Amino acid sequence: MNAAETRALLDALKAATQQGQRAAIATVVGVQGSAYRREGTRMLVLDDGAQVCMLSGGCLEAEVVEVALEVIRSGTPTVTHYDLSEDATWGLGIGCGGSVDVRVEPVEGDDPVMGAWLRALENGELAALVVPLKGEGRLLITPDGATLGDLSPTSLRDFAVQAAQARLGQLEPRAVTLAAPDGTPVFIDISMPPPVLVLYGAGHDAMPLARGAHDLGYEVHVIDPRGAYLTPGRFPGAILHDLAPEDLAQFTPPARASLLIMNHHLDRDRVCLQHALWSGAPYVGVLGPLSRAQGLLDELKAEGVGFSDAELARLRAPVGLRLGAEAPEEVALSILAELMAWRRGYDGGFLSGHAGRIHDAHTHAASPALGASPEQ
């Protein structure tokens, strides 16, 4: 579930609470075979039957709303299994060939764990919520090991803390259901900070890229020494930085940020590339052909600026998926598609002919790092 969906759900929940409405949150906690969405997808259901966000392509929502209304009335969480197969007698007759498990729980205003979890989602804080799908209790866990709530027995709690912290250490942690040593199915939901995209350059082609990233829930930063280009009208929702190349040290990219160099100016691009590669950011992209990025590296090397193999391994050029993109909006789509594939561990290839689960990641081998010698 991306940051934009989470924001919409939380805004609707806040408005409903202010109006005195009761609500429940439905969460996909298990997927077997093919399904439209993955574990961690959430939907809000209000006591009048209204819903916000979707768990599928429209297949499950009516069924889940009925379950959620009963949960709101009873106050008791429940997990329901939905068969999406073509068998219209025993299943929903949707034809996806898989099944999903959906947990629905009421939103109770006096529940400290639920309150802390909703605040973590709203503030974009890294945290995990662990819920046993059989039994009671839940545990909120932060990366530093702090916890709120409880699980029993102690062995289940220890497993939950260890498994949650392992996932929180990943670049792009995703929700998952795991089996504890005693066989108890345990759902680990994840709250993540919004992804961050930093654009070095505020030219015309940066505008659709910033707009598209913002629509996908990114926190967007735009850096350019030309203050006249840095306006909310050109970059709505973005954080703007009027910085000359020699002042880039004043800007530290947020953790896990993706950086993209697109000044269309060789001198600025060269300085920005050095700043980006030395920042420790896991993704550094250079717009334009491979020869241009290699030229920037060669010029920096001639100036005595070198990079480690680890730094060069984070460099991607040219950026984007091979879509035949030409117009700025098309290039933006190509870049955003690559960023999504890279963050989630996919190779960005065609789905046509893929016989496995649509959401299974298949990552190809990494290409040789730019700037590395042939023998490497």
Side-chain angles (χ1 to χ4, degrees), residues 270 273-274 277 286 290-307 311-312 315 317 369-372:
R270 185 174 66 253
L273 179 57
Q274 177 181 340
L277 285 177
V286 178
L290 177 62
S291 59
R292 191 175 191 278
Q294 189 65 63
L296 295 173
L297 289 172
D298 292 342
E299 291 178 17
L300 286 168
K301 185 177 181 179
E303 295 173 1
V305 178
F307 303 101
E311 289 167 336
L312 291 171
L315 179 58
L370 285 171

Side-chain angles (χ1 to χ4, degrees), residues 27 53 100 110 165 170 216 241 276 290 309 375:
T27 307
C53 298
V100 300
D110 58 351
Q165 287 191 291
Q170 298 173 356
L216 290 174
H241 305 267
L290 177 62
D309 290 343
E375 61 270 22

Side-chain angles (χ1 to χ4, degrees), residues 285-353:
V286 178
L287 190 69
L290 177 62
S291 59
R292 191 175 191 278
Q294 189 65 63
L296 295 173
L297 289 172
D298 292 342
E299 291 178 17
L300 286 168
K301 185 177 181 179
E303 295 173 1
V305 178
F307 303 101
S308 68
D309 290 343
E311 289 167 336
L312 291 171
R314 299 196 296 267
L315 179 58
R316 301 180 71 90
V319 290
L321 297 185
R322 188 180 298 178
L323 306 179
E326 296 182 9
E329 292 78 8
E330 295 173 342
V331 173
L333 175 63
S334 168
I335 293 171
L336 290 172
E338 182 192 75
L339 280 170
M340 180 181 292
W342 171 80
R343 285 173 47 225
R344 297 181 180 177
Y346 288 75
D347 61 13
F350 290 113
L351 280 173
S352 179

Side-chain angles (χ1 to χ4, degrees), residues 31-81:
V31 175
Q32 301 83 38
S34 295
Y36 194 80
R37 300 295 299 269
R38 294 179 58 169
E39 293 87 349
T41 303
R42 307 180 194 94
M43 182 175 79
L44 178 71
V45 180
L46 304 180
D47 56 13
D48 60 1
Q51 65 186 65
V52 179
C53 298
M54 300 181 72
L55 300 181
S56 70
C59 315
L60 294 176
E61 281 65 23
E63 300 272 346
V64 173
V65 166
E66 292 302 315
V67 173
L69 291 176
E70 177 57 33
V71 167
I72 291 172
R73 285 190 290 267
S74 70
T76 303
T78 186
V79 178
T80 305
H81 180 77

Side-chain angles (χ1 to χ4, degrees), residues 15 22 49-50 77 87 114 135 150 190 236 240 285 289 327 337 360 368 376:
R22 300 172 67 194
D87 188 336
M114 173 63 80
D150 203 6
I190 301 293
L240 307 176
D360 282 344
Q376 293 177 318

Side-chain angles (χ1 to χ4, degrees), residues 116-261:
W117 173 243
L118 293 175
R119 286 193 296 275
L121 290 172
E122 184 173 11
N123 297 331
E125 297 169 349
L126 189 60
L129 180 67
V130 183
V131 181
L133 299 183
K134 295 179 180 178
E136 298 181 351
R138 54 185 164 186
L139 192 64
L140 182 70
I141 303 166
T142 60
D144 62 2
T147 61
L148 179 65
D150 203 6
L151 295 175
S152 60
T154 303
S155 58
L156 180 62
R157 187 184 191 280
D158 292 344
F159 170 79
V161 171
Q162 183 178 8
Q165 287 191 291
R167 292 199 83 75
L168 292 175
Q170 298 173 356
L171 174 64
E172 184 78 5
R174 303 295 297 264
V176 68
T177 293
L178 301 174
D182 65 357
T184 301
V186 175
F187 176 62
I188 304 175
D189 205 353
I190 301 293
S191 169
M192 277 281 291
V196 178
L197 178 62
V198 178
L199 305 180
Y200 295 86
H204 180 71
D205 56 349
M207 294 165 58
L209 181 54
R211 184 170 57 249
H214 181 265
D215 290 344
L216 290 174
Y218 278 80
E219 176 185 299
V220 181
H221 295 253
V222 184
I223 303 174
D224 200 289
R226 301 166 295 180
Y229 283 58
L230 296 171
T231 66
R234 287 169 59 85
F235 299 100
I239 301 170
L240 307 176
H241 305 267
D242 186 350
L243 291 173
E246 58 270 21
D247 298 324
L248 284 177
Q250 299 176 21
F251 174 76
T252 300
R256 308 188 188 201
S258 300
L259 315 184
L260 181 58
I261 298 163

